[in-house]
Amino acid sequence: MNILEVAVKQIDEKAQQLQGAVCGNSINSLEEYKYLCGELQGLLIARGYLLDLKDSMGQYDDDN
């Protein structure tokens, strides 16, 4: 497992925690809900960037 895969795995785990909090009844305010949704959105964007980078690196390796 390379560093990108480890980072994506950690992001997935944190995203699952946040989804559980948002979907559960553990949120106390609209502000907290907005914060958690923003954090989740940021993690998913970062995950996409890492997967794109992994694909790009794989294509680079294939070219050499």
Side-chain angles (χ1 to χ4, degrees), residues 16-34:
Q16 285 180 339
Q17 290 174 356
L18 292 171
Q19 288 171 340
V22 169
C23 293
N25 291 325
S26 62
I27 296 178
N28 298 319
S29 66
L30 181 59
E31 290 78 19
E32 184 180 4
Y33 173 80
K34 288 180 181 181

Side-chain angles (χ1 to χ4, degrees), residues 1-61:
M1 186 176 288
N2 66 35
I3 192 166
L4 293 176
E5 292 169 336
V6 171
V8 169
K9 182 180 177 193
Q10 289 177 336
I11 288 173
D12 288 343
E13 290 171 359
K14 181 62 176 179
Q16 285 180 339
Q17 290 174 356
L18 292 171
Q19 288 171 340
V22 169
C23 293
N25 291 325
S26 62
I27 296 178
N28 298 319
S29 66
L30 181 59
E31 290 78 19
E32 184 180 4
Y33 173 80
K34 288 180 181 181
Y35 177 82
L36 293 176
C37 286
E39 188 173 0
L40 180 57
Q41 183 178 17
L43 285 171
L44 295 177
I45 290 169
R47 182 183 190 277
Y49 289 153
L50 290 172
L51 291 175
D52 289 346
L53 178 60
K54 181 181 174 196
D55 289 343
S56 296
M57 290 174 62
Q59 290 174 359
Y60 177 76
D61 289 342

